[in-house]
Amino acid sequence: MTAVTDLDVFPPSPEFAATANAGPELAAAAEADRLGFWADQAARLHWHEPFTEVLDWTDAPVAKWFVGGKLNVAYNCVDRHVLDGHGDQVAIHWEGEPGDSRDLTYNDLLAEVSRAANYFTELGLEAGDRVAIYMPMIPEAIISMLACARLGLTHSVVFAGYSPTALRSRVDDAEARLIVTTDGQWRRGKSAPLKEAVDGALADGEHSVEHVLVVRRTGMDVPWTEKRDAWWDDTVAVASPEHEAQAFDSEHPLFILYTSGTTGKPKGIVHTTGGYLTQTSYTHHYVFDHKAGQDVYWCTADIGWVTGHSYIVYGPLSNRTTQVVYEGTPNSPNEHRHWEIVEKYGVTIYYTAPTLVRTFMKWGHAIPEAHNLSSIRLLGSVGEPINPEAWRWYRKHIGADKAPIVDTWWQTETGAIMMSPLPGVTATKPGAAMGPLPGISAKVVDDDGNDIALGETEAVGYLVLDQPWPAMLRGIWGDMDRYRETYWDRYADQGWYFAGDGAKVDEDDAFWVLGRVDDVMNVSGHRISTSEVESALVGHYGVAEAAVVGASDDTTGQGIVAFVILKESAHGGDADLVAELKAEVAREISPIAKPREIHIVPELPKTRSGKIMRRLLRDVAEGRELGDTSTLVDPKVFEAIRNS
Ligand code: ATP
Ligand code: MG
């Protein structure tokens, strides 16, 4: 299986290692005393009251971390930096889609978060109440999250591209008392209504929402309900900028966030305070080699996704980061936008998803080459396995062939990065998340929980986490049975967390995450991962993106069905190309992996976080009705797919 076990290795450069935050002592310390190690990491934060115990696992699978400790997340992300004399440092370089921009220092952030906290208090909200945040990527979204954290309100951020129905189901599930939103949002040069969607969501039946707070963003007209609705400008903006943060218990619920829905109905994942902030802070510092006051960091995720929570808001701000926050799409007004932003602010650390890297590849390397990207010193990837081809392109064309790439494996449920190379320490392999971070423990096992032998690259196993970790989910909101069933029943005897991802470990002990267990196909008794076949297809010069599913097949059990998007240059001669692609996969992997069907399509169905919805493609391949499409970017893609 050559596609994912390519053996080129990229050792850290001595120059990078010389100043890296991480060193080999980190893993040694964690190995010597895992809980002591986490206690040391917790000391990165300010505790109003110290904890008395690192971990209480007696009520497994619900953990308590840093028992008895009290802290305030907003104080840790904002106030303490101001008190330490860094109030004038820029926290956020905000870049609006239409070209407007705004810088917020830590002083500004403190004043804004305090104002919002004062107004939320005036509304009668109390610690433990839930607040829905349905906003585009503007500073007020981050301010609202921090104001909730400051008051012990549990936020539920709902991606601003979701429909009124998706918003309503999340608002109902969490029984939110307040929704914070905007009049509208900018998308590719046009304004789209958002407040109207909130009104649509609340139109029918009983609901929990008492207040709707509206930030003016596009200036468009909005429907209005007196008493319930208020403008941010008339309320938060005139509230007092002074507010004293109180401390909350380490296990106080910080937020609820719904998973992407790639494998089924979205789950409302619950995260708490002390452990979550410890691990996001720790991982942001070491995995991104972040240096406060020097680096300019940019994570391109949306706050509607866990990456936005952990690596735009909580991890970075707890570490006093100066970061770029961009409102729009990467091709507004044209495909140069990201690289213009990198040049404008001198971005040094850039963290994105493989889907975007492949999009950049499709647009061609002439685009990044037109810009000076020399400030970039580290690249990150998250969201799905990154194909070796895309990894190499990313390093070469964005990282000047020298920036280390951190391929970070984690989930909404894990709260923070679990596996990644440590820059300056780990030699990387294109496409591998390499291994668990110091303090984290993971294994790849078979159905019965036996270790998959190292180096048995033919064997695909299940990724499990065999020790609790600080940022772990504490449950599924309102459904603890589903929590146990989904993650813990599979390996109940061993007490391991079942991640739902297939993986393997190579002869150098490197972990390769191969995607969902559901995405491992069984063809004539051979287990083949969809990502391997996709990588082989994307390795062909004509293919921009590929999605592969296993469809039931009378003779082979499952047959491989591929959907591919071609690069501009490869259009025409589709029939020849299909034969060529089949041959390519047979050559690259094995004749068994040769797709039964290859469909050339204009688009692939993706979630809001950029993941391909293979379960829906499987429905298409097997001629079934589509399952839950509520988290799709554009449900209309199926017309185009069915017509091709
Ligand atoms: P749902 O659980 O509702 O199906 P989802 O799993 O897509 O949705 P997320 O929590 O956003 O929701 O995604 C986590 C998943 O993303 C992981 O389980 C894994 O499959 C994939 N993933 C994330 N990062 C990586 C990575 N670096 N390498 C491989 N896979 C990754
Ligand atoms: Mg998942």
Side-chain angles (χ1 to χ4, degrees), residues 74-75 78-80 82-83 104-116 150 240-243:
Y75 180 93
V78 186
D79 304 44
R80 69 174 167 143
V82 172
L83 294 169
L104 283 95
T105 62
Y106 277 95
N107 278 330
D108 296 334
L109 208 51
L110 179 57
E112 299 292 318
V113 171
S114 298
R115 286 194 166 97
R150 193 174 188 88
S240 160
E242 311 280 332
H243 181 272

Side-chain angles (χ1 to χ4, degrees), residues 244-257:
E244 200 181 328
Q246 284 175 52
F248 293 96
D249 189 88
S250 182
E251 285 301 333
H252 188 78
L254 180 63
F255 65 85
I256 304 168
L257 182 66

Side-chain angles (χ1 to χ4, degrees), residues 73-81 106 146 277 313-314 317-318:
V73 169
Y75 180 93
N76 271 286
C77 290
V78 186
D79 304 44
R80 69 174 167 143
H81 307 318
Y106 277 95
L146 290 167
L277 197 62
V313 183
Y314 297 114
L317 295 177
S318 72

